[in-house]
Amino acid sequence: MAGILLSVACMIAGYLIEYLVAPIGPMVVEYLLGPIASAITCIYYYKSNCQGLRREIEKLMLVSERVKHMVDEAERNGEEIESDVQKWLKSVREIIEESNRFFEVEANAQRRIFCGLFPNFNSHYQLSKKAVEMVKIVDELQEDGRFDRVSYSVTPRWKGFAPVEGYKAFDSRMSTSRKIMAAFRNESITTIGVYGMGGVGKTTLLKELGRLALENKLFDDVVMATVTQNPELKKIQGEIADKLGLRFDEESVAGRAVGIPYGNAHKGCKILLASRSLDVLSTEMDAQKTFAVGVLTDQEAWDLFKKMAGDSVEDPDLQSTAVEIAKECAGLPVAIVTVARALRNKNSFEWKNASRQLKRPNSRNIRGMQAVIYSTLELSYHQLESEELKSTFLLCGLMNYNASIQDLLKYGMGLGLLQDVYTTEEARDRVYTLVRNLKASCLLVDGTSTDGFGMHDVVRDVAMSIASRENHVFVVRDDVELVEWPDEDTLNKCTAISLQYCDIRELPDRLRCPKLKFFYMGCEDPSLKIPENFFKGLNALKSLTHCKSAFSCLPSSLCFLGSLRTLCLINVCWEM
Ligand SMILES: *[C@@H]1O[C@H](CO)[C@@H](O)[C@H](O)[C@H]1NC(C)=O
Ligand SMILES: *[C@@H]1O[C@H](CO)[C@@H](O)[C@H](O)[C@H]1NC(C)=O
Ligand SMILES: *[C@@H]1O[C@H](CO)[C@@H](O)[C@H](O)[C@H]1NC(C)=O
């Protein structure tokens, strides 16, 4: 084919030369021969140029796939993609689109040849030339695509704390917010405290202040950490250091420059604390200035409620019920957003039912939480559409503060909580969907990492309380010490045990818990030994997680766990 093409091409070229020689003269011929000769080469190599382009594009696609995988991974880790990488990916997209168009035109040109029509050499020449140009670009892109890193870490820049929805409307908080910003600017104040009851919106205020402080360039970095009553110093240091992009070489608590950098040695560093208790702030934490966060005014509460529940609350047959329910929420944002989301798009009888439910006195009272919060959150829980969603929510309550969707996937699959899924991929998609639904219901919030999720602490309290009541779950949170094991009767009914932080010296020889399905053990003490027969009485156990234990070998009673489907050993140290 190429041979035939060549002869025809030469003939045409010859014809052109002849044609051009006659009227213009020899000088011009010489001048024209260069481009014409290259035109001939172009046409001669037409086919191989096209094939070459195809090959190089395929190679480029492989390179770009590699880069895309790196980008995906970086994005999952919440990192920002370098702009040269973004620009490169854009160029790759463009050249691939261009090559697709090219091959379409080329296929048309081929078809014309095969149809026996006289080939359009001009178009062949153009296409061939174009192919050569594109190969050059594609080669350069391949060369440029060898990135060692595609992203940079952005955690210190308060990523994920976008303006909070509905927040701007809270005029009642603006004056507090302004005063705290003034305290940030005052050099003699380094420790500031914010207090208010659970669910009043302290965390939201802190996030908003962090965002404002960065926006106004008051600080280079803003870092947030959750400190519980029984804090694991190492964990908090780690969390803060991670977010500041620091690395510790020392593993001991003291070696890691204890605590939070502040005081004269760290001028410019300030601490903003939030607590339910003013005492904790002023006596234990020495806060120099403290500010109260109060409940929302009636108007603010109603505006927020309307925003979360949708415009239907203005319907004449809903409005009075909606106003009543909004009032029941007592100006507490957590109660307002969850209940409004739960009732969004519901019928008027469901609204009335909810209103009645909320008015019923609630005897449950946990840790000084307002009864209204319990009632509203419980109502939101009961409004969840499926059992799958409800059990996922309760499971999230059993997980620790820094839980990831990956963990949820492991436990959810182990417990057989996901309905009708057959592969890990299906399960992963399902878990992402469930988490998204729970976020839409305001029962979960975004986590610090892309793969994480968070839960407001009062929501967690309610989740654990519901779980304890409905499923006989036994939870020891990371701010409460486990003094002794529950009694035999409780253990007989127990379906889940979650010891998030436990300070136990000794485990029972054998744990008799015939209904136990989920067992999470996060222990600080690596010297805690697990007795050989510890797992013997756990026939129903499906998901077992051990953190930070030391094993010389796994306890032999593990083989009695006939129902076990998920076994996670995290930070386990193997003694040789
Ligand atoms: C800074 O705070 C100190 C202590 O509260 C206060 O006495 C001082 O007036 C403040 N300075 C300014 C400029 O507001
Ligand atoms: C929080 O979770 C993320 C993702 O699972 C992990 O990379 C990070 O180290 C965790 N941080 C702490 C302080 O445990
Ligand atoms: C009324 O509310 C209760 C508790 O939230 C719930 O169990 C019940 O199903 C609701 N009834 C209707 C008809 O929605």
Side-chain angles (χ1 to χ4, degrees):
M1 189 68 207
I4 301 167
L5 214 58
L6 174 66
S7 63
V8 180
C10 282
M11 201 183 79
I12 293 290
Y15 168 73
L16 271 175
I17 293 163
E18 251 178 36
Y19 175 77
L20 286 170
V21 168
I24 306 170
M27 267 174 62
V28 186
V29 172
E30 211 168 48
Y31 173 74
L32 279 171
L33 256 180
I36 288 169
S38 89
I40 296 168
T41 331
C42 251
I43 293 169
Y44 174 57
Y45 287 118
Y46 168 69
K47 195 143 190 201
S48 71
N49 283 344
C50 289
Q51 278 167 350
L53 177 62
R54 218 181 268 280
R55 243 188 344 262
E56 294 306 310
I57 285 280
E58 269 164 23
K59 275 199 235 159
L60 179 64
M61 280 160 102
L62 290 177
V63 177
S64 109
E65 210 161 298
R66 260 182 87 87
V67 175
K68 272 190 211 139
H69 288 158
M70 288 160 81
V71 166
D72 284 349
E73 189 180 337
E75 282 177 342
R76 269 201 301 279
N77 292 332
E79 295 189 334
E80 201 72 52
I81 306 306
E82 298 281 3
S83 29
D84 61 339
V85 176
Q86 290 180 5
K87 216 167 145 198
W88 183 86
L89 282 170
K90 184 162 172 269
S91 307
V92 168
R93 261 197 314 276
E94 283 167 2
I95 196 86
I96 288 175
E97 276 165 21
E98 199 177 337
S99 78
N100 287 341
R101 280 196 300 276
F102 172 89
F103 286 119
E104 246 167 58
V105 174
E106 193 255 338
N108 281 336
Q110 286 288 2
R111 216 170 295 127
R112 281 204 295 275
I113 292 178
F114 289 124
C115 288
L117 298 171
F118 192 69
N120 181 345
F121 287 104
N122 190 36
S123 93
H124 269 122
Y125 168 62
Q126 295 296 348
L127 283 172
S128 196
K129 199 166 138 221
K130 177 95 195 170
V132 172
E133 282 167 13
M134 282 170 70
V135 166
K136 229 169 100 190
I137 299 172
V138 172
D139 279 349
E140 275 170 19
L141 283 171
Q142 283 179 25
E143 201 54 43
D144 294 347
R146 298 180 205 285
F147 299 105
D148 290 332
R149 263 188 78 79
V150 296
S151 59
Y152 56 97
S153 170
V154 282
T155 11
R157 293 217 192 98
W158 210 244
K159 197 182 153 61
F161 296 114
V164 182
E165 197 187 344
Y167 186 86
K168 289 271 179 281
F170 297 174
D171 276 342
S172 64
R173 310 248 155 127
M174 286 310 280
S175 71
T176 314
S177 181
R178 267 196 297 273
K179 284 182 204 150
I180 296 175
M181 291 297 278
F184 280 160
R185 290 195 175 89
N186 185 333
E187 276 193 12
S188 57
I189 301 176
T190 55
T191 317
I192 304 157
V194 167
Y195 63 96
M197 69 177 103
V200 82
K202 296 182 294 294
T203 311
T204 310
L205 178 69
L206 255 58
K207 286 180 179 173
E208 179 65 10
L209 286 165
R211 199 183 63 78
L212 280 176
L214 275 186
E215 202 172 275
N216 289 303
K217 303 204 163 47
L218 297 183
F219 303 100
D220 296 332
D221 284 331
V222 175
V223 166
M224 191 152 167
T226 306
V227 183
T228 55
Q229 280 168 23
N230 203 345
E232 284 180 73
L233 266 186
K234 220 157 137 179
K235 216 167 90 188
I236 299 162
Q237 289 169 351
E239 209 169 314
I240 293 175
D242 266 358
K243 289 172 184 165
L244 287 172
L246 305 174
R247 291 279 167 275
F248 288 123
D249 294 329
E250 288 269 0
E251 262 309 303
S252 71
V253 172
R256 289 151 64 122
V258 175
I260 309 156
Y262 86 110
N264 280 340
H266 297 279
K267 268 220 147 62
C269 252
K270 297 202 178 198
I271 303 174
L272 177 62
L273 301 155
S275 168
R276 290 186 194 170
S277 145
L278 173 60
D279 278 351
V280 168
L281 294 179
S282 41
T283 29
E284 290 177 36
M285 300 305 295
D286 287 329
Q288 290 159 288
K289 270 219 175 289
T290 52
F291 300 91
V293 185
V295 297
L296 301 183
T297 65
D298 285 352
Q299 187 59 45
E300 287 167 345
W302 176 243
D303 288 345
L304 180 61
F305 190 88
K306 226 165 39 182
K307 192 165 190 161
M308 303 309 279
D311 288 335
S312 65
V313 294
E314 303 277 19
D315 284 354
D317 57 336
L318 265 194
Q319 207 203 9
S320 63
T321 318
V323 170
E324 270 173 36
I325 291 180
K327 275 218 185 86
E328 287 295 326
C329 296
L332 292 164
V334 165
I336 295 170
V337 296
T338 48
V339 89
R341 267 293 145 90
L343 293 173
R344 197 185 170 105
N345 301 328
K346 293 280 158 80
N347 295 322
S348 71
F349 71 85
E350 288 169 298
W351 279 80
K352 290 200 180 103
N353 184 29
S355 170
R356 246 173 262 132
Q357 203 74 28
L358 286 179
K359 284 200 184 111
R360 212 167 289 161
N362 198 314
S363 56
R364 284 177 244 288
N365 197 358
I366 21 177
R367 298 207 314 162
M369 181 193 293
Q370 291 247 325
V372 48
I373 295 200
Y374 195 99
S375 312
T376 49
L377 290 175
E378 194 182 30
L379 183 115
S380 310
Y381 164 76
H382 283 298
Q383 293 285 343
L384 289 174
E385 277 155 25
S386 62
E387 284 310 313
E388 199 180 29
L389 212 48
K390 286 182 190 169
S391 13
T392 306
F393 170 69
L394 296 184
L395 178 57
C396 291
L398 291 183
M399 295 165 66
N400 62 12
Y401 281 101
N402 189 30
S404 70
I405 292 183
Q406 192 66 27
D407 292 335
L408 192 56
L409 174 68
K410 284 185 290 203
Y411 304 149
M413 281 191 85
L415 291 170
L417 196 144
L418 309 169
Q419 311 278 305
D420 301 324
V421 298
Y422 303 102
T423 64
T424 317
E425 194 186 340
E426 282 172 27
R428 179 171 294 119
D429 291 344
R430 178 72 57 83
V431 168
Y432 272 99
T433 312
L434 290 167
V435 168
R436 209 208 42 219
N437 284 346
L438 289 172
K439 282 183 183 171
S441 309
C442 296
L443 290 171
L444 290 184
V445 293
D446 287 337
T448 41
S449 65
T450 327
D451 191 39
F453 58 85
M455 202 181 223
H456 193 293
D457 51 359
V458 303
V459 178
R460 183 184 304 274
D461 285 344
V462 173
M464 281 196 272
S465 163
I466 295 173
S468 312
R469 196 174 31 159
E470 289 192 354
N471 302 336
H472 302 287
V473 163
F474 177 66
V475 184
V476 178
R477 287 165 45 130
D478 41 8
D479 50 0
V480 183
E481 234 168 287
L482 172 65
V483 182
E484 59 181 329
W485 283 87
D487 57 34
E488 199 175 317
D489 197 35
T490 312
L491 286 178
N492 265 331
K493 286 190 241 155
C494 201
T495 64
I497 296 180
S498 177
L499 309 175
Q500 289 165 9
Y501 168 89
C502 60
D503 194 15
I504 353 174
R505 305 266 164 272
E506 219 185 331
L507 293 170
D509 280 342
R510 194 173 160 181
L511 192 61
R512 278 169 228 272
C513 229
K515 294 192 177 151
L516 193 70
K517 289 189 192 148
F518 177 87
F519 191 11
Y520 178 96
M521 207 166 163
C523 267
E524 258 303 90
D525 185 4
S527 66
L528 182 72
K529 289 275 179 288
I530 298 179
E532 273 303 297
N533 287 326
F534 186 70
F535 297 115
K536 224 171 180 172
L538 306 178
N539 298 334
L541 194 65
K542 291 184 164 177
S543 169
L544 172 63
T545 305
H546 259 282
C547 303
K548 303 171 193 153
S549 305
F551 292 110
S552 49
C553 62
L554 290 171
S556 61
S557 55
L558 264 185
C559 66
F560 289 102
L561 301 177
S563 315
L564 194 67
R565 296 175 64 182
T566 298
L567 173 65
C568 306
L569 302 172
I570 303 166
N571 287 341
V572 161
C573 131
W574 297 96
E575 293 171 339
M576 290 302 149

